[in-house]
Amino acid sequence: MRAPISKDDLEARVRALQNRLNSRRVPTLDAAGTLSFGGHSITVSNAQSELLDLLIERFGEVVYRGEFVHRLAERVPTVTRNSLDLHIMRLRRRLLPIDLSIRTVWGRGYLLENAAV
């Protein structure tokens, strides 16, 4: 940007750059089950860690329901549609404080994204 510039234009440019930076951040999950994103962190259960591994690997992309069922089947003997929905519901609640959200992509699966953008 070149001077002179109005204060409103400068603030709009700064907001746009911050939004671009925020959209490129990717959450991290360590072996102890601590999920970190944007300077915040929470702990999650083992089952939630399994689901989050898939979601973080493809942050911002759709993860199909079948992939979740396959991943949970390694830990839980019987994975039903309702049990997967219950895990996702609980995980959504856990993610609220750290500006992450899980969006349902109807007929396909779920998508992890930055809730602040």
Side-chain angles (χ1 to χ4, degrees):
M1 298 184 105
R2 294 186 182 171
I5 184 171
S6 72
K7 184 179 178 182
D8 291 337
D9 287 342
L10 179 62
E11 288 173 356
R13 179 72 176 153
V14 168
R15 276 193 309 274
L17 290 171
Q18 285 174 333
N19 287 340
R20 189 182 317 167
L21 175 66
N22 289 341
S23 68
R24 292 184 181 176
R25 290 186 300 176
V26 176
T28 59
L29 181 66
D30 67 15
T34 302
L35 176 68
S36 301
F37 183 71
H40 303 287
S41 63
I42 58 170
T43 56
V44 294
S45 70
N46 291 337
Q48 290 171 343
S49 291
E50 294 293 331
L51 299 177
L52 279 170
D53 277 340
L54 284 171
L55 290 165
I56 291 170
E57 283 175 20
R58 301 213 311 263
F59 185 66
E61 299 175 14
V62 176
V63 179
Y64 294 94
R65 288 183 69 86
E67 295 175 73
F68 288 117
V69 170
H70 179 71
R71 181 69 64 100
L72 283 177
E74 297 170 5
R75 290 195 171 275
V76 181
T78 308
V79 180
T80 65
R81 181 176 182 89
N82 287 340
S83 66
L84 177 59
D85 291 342
L86 183 62
H87 283 295
I88 294 292
M89 180 193 71
R90 288 178 178 158
L91 190 53
R92 281 180 170 142
R93 288 181 186 162
R94 288 293 294 141
L95 296 177
L96 288 175
I98 62 170
D99 290 333
L100 287 173
S101 66
I102 298 174
R103 184 170 42 133
T104 300
V105 181
W106 295 109
R108 294 188 179 154
Y110 299 99
L111 168 83
L112 180 65
E113 62 188 357
N114 186 344
V117 176

